[in-house]
C-alpha cells in the first residue's frame, strides 16, 4: 500500500484476548466464573419473547439501571451501563482523558489501557509497581492528565485497602480517577462509597467475573450524576443502542439474586484459599491474591514450559512472557474439581509425588 494512503489509516496495536478454545478443556485462562449464572437467568432466558427482538432495546437500559441502583442503594443518575466493562472503560477514556498531560497507570496492569490510550491518542506514562507488585501511591502525586488502575490489580491480584485508594483520589482532584473494580467482589470494600466525597471518581464494575455473565457483556460505571451525564452524552453521540435486549433482561435477573451471588463468590474465595496452600506446597511463589486468580511463579520451572505442558494436558492458564512477568502464570480459580486436576498434573510433572 502506498505511503500516503497508509498515513490516513489509524493503525493500532490491538489487545490480545485469552484463548477461547472450542473444545472441552479445563479453562483457567480468562478469569471467567466456573459456576453458571443465577437460576433466575435461566428461566428469564427460557421465557423471553422472540417478538421483542424486532424492536430496538431501551436506549436508557432503565430496567438494568434500576436493578443496579436498588442493589447498591444508589440513584439511577449514579449509573452508566455498557457492553461489558471494556465498553464502559473505553467510553471513560474517550470522555475523561482529554489532557495534553499523560494519564498514569501501573506498568503491570490490565493490558487494554495502553491499547485504548493509543487508539484515542491519549498520552500515557506507566508507573512501575514495586518488587512485590504493589502500586506506589506516591508515583501518582505528580501532575498528570488522569489516573486509572484496577483494584485488585490484574494480573497480579493485589488488592489495596480503601484508604490507599482514597489517597490517590485525593491527590488528583483536578483530573478523573478511574478505579477498575472487575474483581472487587472477591476482595473487599469498593471505592463506590467515596463517590459523594470526591467529584473526580469513577468506579467501574462488571458482570463478567463475580456474576458469571462474561458471555452477556454487561459492565457499569458508578459516579456522581454530572460525570455520568458526560458519559451518556458521549454514548448517545456514538451508538445509542449499545446493550441488547437479552443482556438487559438477563442482567436484571443476575443482579436481583443476592443470595446466589454471595454463595458463588464465597465458594470461589474458599477454593482460592485452598489453592494458595496447594501452590505453596508445590513451591510456587505469588503475591497474596484477593481476586479469582493467582499470579504465580516457580523458582525451578520455566513459566513458558509449564504453560505449554499444561496446555498439552488440556489445562489452559494465561501466560504473557512480557517484561517483568516473563516467569509468571495467571491461574484462574475454577471449581475444586478443576483445581484438583491442575494440582494432580503439576505434582506428576514436577515429580513431587502424592
Ligand atoms: C475482565 C476485566 C475487565 C473487562 O471485563 P468485561 O468482560 O469487559 O466486563 C476490565 N478490567 C479488568 C481489570 C478485567 O480483568
Amino acid at each position: 500500500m502506498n505511503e500516503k494512503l497508509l498515513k490516513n489509516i489509524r493503525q493500532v496495536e490491538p489487545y490480545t484476548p485469552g484463548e477461547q478454545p472450542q473444545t472441552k478443556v479445563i479453562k483457567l485462562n480468562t478469569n471467567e466464573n466456573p459456576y453458571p449464572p443465577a437460576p433466575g437467568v435461566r428461566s428469564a432466558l427460557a421465557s423471553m419473547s422472540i417478538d421483542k427482538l424486532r424492536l430496538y432495546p431501551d436506549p436508557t437500559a432503565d430496567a438494568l439501571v434500576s436493578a443496579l441502583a436498588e442493589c447498591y442503594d444508589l440513584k439511577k443518575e449514579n449509573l452508566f451501563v455498557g457492553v461489558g466493562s471494556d465498553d464502559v472503560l473505553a467510553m471513560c477514556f474517550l470522555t475523561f482523558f482529554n489532557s495534553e498531560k499523560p494519564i498514569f497507570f501501573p506498568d503491570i496492569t490490565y493490558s487494554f489501557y495502553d491499547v485504548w490510550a493509543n487508539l484515542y491518542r491519549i498520552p500515557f506514562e506507566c508507573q512501575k509497581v514495586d518488587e512485590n507488585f504493589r502500586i506506589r501511591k506516591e508515583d501518582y502525586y505528580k501532575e498528570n492528565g488522569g489516573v486509572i488502575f484496577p483494584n485488585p490489580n490484574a494480573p497480579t491480584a493485589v488488592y489495596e485497602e480503601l484508604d490507599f485508594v482514597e489517597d490517590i483520589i485525593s491527590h488528583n482532584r483536578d483530573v478523573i480517577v478511574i478505579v477498575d473494580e472487575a474483581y472487587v467482589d472477591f476482595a473487599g470494600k469498593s471505592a463506590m462509597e467515596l463517590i459523594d466525597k470526591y467529584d473526580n471518581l469513577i468506579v467501574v464494575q462488571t458482570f463478567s467475573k463475580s456474576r458469571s455473565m462474561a458471555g452477556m457483556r454487561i459492565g457499569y460505571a458508578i459516579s456522581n450524576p454530572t460525570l455520568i451525564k458526560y458519559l451518556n452524552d458521549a454514548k448517545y453521540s456514538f451508538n445509542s443502542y449499545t446493550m441488547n435486549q437479552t443482556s438487559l433482561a438477563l442482567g436484571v435477573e443476575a443482579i436481583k439474586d443476592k443470595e446466589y451471588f454471595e454463595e458463588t463468590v464465597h465458594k470461589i474465595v474458599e477454593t482460592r484459599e485452598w489453592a494458595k496452600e496447594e501452590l505453596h506446597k508445590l513451591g510456587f511463589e505469588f503475591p497474596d491474591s484477593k481476586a479469582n486468580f493467582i499470579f504465580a511463579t516457580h523458582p525451578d520451572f520455566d513459566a513458558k514450559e509449564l504453560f505449554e505442558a499444561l496446555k498439552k494436558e488440556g489445562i489452559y492458564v494465561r501466560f504473557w512472557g512480557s517484561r517483568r512477568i516473563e516467569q509468571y502464570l495467571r491461574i484462574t480459580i475454577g471449581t475444586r474439581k478443576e483445581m484438583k486436576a491442575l494440582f494432580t498434573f503439576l505434582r506428576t510433572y514436577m515429580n513431587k509425588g502424592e
Side-chain angles (χ1 to χ4, degrees):
M1 212 175 259
N2 90 51
E3 288 289 318
K4 278 187 183 159
L5 175 55
L6 269 176
K7 268 205 175 135
N8 287 314
I9 297 174
R10 187 172 295 230
Q11 295 172 60
V12 285
E13 191 73 45
Y15 171 80
T16 319
E19 278 181 86
Q20 293 295 349
Q22 298 305 311
T23 50
K24 189 135 181 65
V25 301
I26 295 182
K27 202 170 169 308
L28 309 175
N29 69 334
T30 50
N31 295 347
E32 288 135 331
N33 197 307
Y35 302 108
V41 174
R42 181 191 298 271
S43 33
L45 185 60
S47 62
M48 273 201 70
S49 143
I50 264 284
D51 190 50
K52 252 196 143 182
L53 299 186
R54 250 178 350 100
L55 306 171
Y56 279 111
D58 169 15
T60 70
D62 187 63
L64 182 62
V65 167
S66 302
L68 281 163
E70 193 181 324
C71 173
Y72 292 114
D73 197 19
L74 295 162
K75 297 206 185 74
K76 289 198 270 183
E77 294 71 34
N78 294 122
L79 286 149
F80 173 83
V81 296
V83 186
S85 53
D86 286 341
D87 175 46
V88 175
L89 288 164
M91 206 64 86
C92 288
F93 271 56
L94 181 67
T95 311
F96 300 121
F97 294 159
N98 292 289
S99 171
E100 317 262 277
K101 290 172 208 148
I103 61 164
F104 287 177
F105 48 82
D107 63 335
I108 299 172
T109 196
Y110 190 38
S111 42
F112 237 130
Y113 299 159
D114 59 350
V115 173
W116 289 317
N118 285 322
L119 176 66
Y120 291 130
R121 301 194 175 132
I122 300 163
F124 65 93
E125 192 184 297
C126 294
Q127 307 299 323
K128 262 189 157 175
V129 295
D130 73 13
E131 65 282 4
N132 300 314
F133 293 135
R134 294 202 47 193
I135 290 171
R136 290 184 293 212
K137 58 183 184 330
E138 296 76 17
D139 292 346
Y140 297 79
Y141 295 174
K142 295 173 288 186
E143 229 189 310
N144 62 65
V147 172
I148 178 163
F149 61 93
N151 193 38
N153 196 4
T156 63
V158 174
Y159 172 74
E160 299 296 350
E161 296 296 334
L162 212 49
D163 56 345
F164 180 103
V165 175
E166 182 167 2
D167 183 85
I168 292 180
I169 301 163
S170 68
H171 276 90
N172 286 282
R173 298 304 297 266
D174 296 337
V175 295
I176 300 294
V177 177
I178 303 172
V179 185
D180 179 353
E181 293 189 335
Y183 303 102
V184 79
D185 295 325
F186 305 106
K189 271 194 163 180
S190 163
M192 72 169 79
E193 68 181 62
L194 301 174
I195 56 162
D196 292 326
K197 193 168 172 190
Y198 298 96
D199 62 1
N200 60 325
L201 169 65
I202 306 254
V203 175
V204 176
Q205 297 193 356
T206 175
F207 281 47
S208 297
K209 279 78 185 222
S210 56
R211 294 190 191 271
S212 308
M213 300 270 274
M216 275 287 111
R217 315 303 303 125
I218 308 172
Y220 51 102
I222 299 170
S223 186
N224 61 70
T226 311
L227 295 189
I228 293 297
K229 166 122 190 353
Y230 284 125
L231 271 178
N232 270 313
D233 291 350
K235 165 194 149 163
Y236 285 117
S237 39
F238 205 87
N239 174 5
S240 311
Y241 304 111
T242 53
M243 300 195 68
N244 70 66
Q245 205 83 263
T246 316
S247 295
L248 290 175
L250 303 191
V252 170
E253 293 305 318
I255 205 82
K256 276 199 328 212
D257 198 336
K258 254 190 179 146
E259 200 180 317
Y260 182 82
F261 164 73
E262 280 163 10
E263 180 191 317
T264 45
V265 166
H266 179 73
K267 276 201 281 192
I268 290 165
V269 169
E270 236 175 21
T271 308
R272 176 187 76 201
E273 295 308 310
W274 164 73
K276 285 181 192 171
E277 290 168 27
E278 293 298 309
L279 285 172
H280 269 312
K281 282 189 213 158
L282 287 161
F284 280 93
E285 293 163 7
F286 46 87
D288 189 32
S289 164
K290 296 282 182 189
N292 67 337
F293 56 90
I294 296 172
F295 195 52
T297 186
H298 199 290
D300 307 327
F301 291 88
D302 181 68
K304 186 157 193 271
E305 283 174 24
L306 258 180
F307 165 76
E308 275 157 8
L310 282 164
K311 190 167 172 178
K312 227 180 183 172
E313 192 65 18
I315 302 173
Y316 281 49
V317 298
R318 194 84 194 266
F319 169 74
W320 285 272
S322 43
R323 219 167 54 81
R324 288 191 81 189
I325 59 170
E326 300 91 344
Q327 285 305 328
Y328 280 81
L329 296 175
R330 190 193 68 188
I331 306 163
T332 304
I333 304 299
T335 60
R336 210 162 246 261
K337 191 168 162 226
E338 289 172 320
M339 300 311 279
K340 270 191 181 150
L342 167 75
F343 297 133
T344 302
F345 172 75
L346 286 176
R347 267 192 294 270
T348 315
Y349 182 82
M350 297 171 152
N351 238 326
K352 297 244 174 193
E354 266 302 317

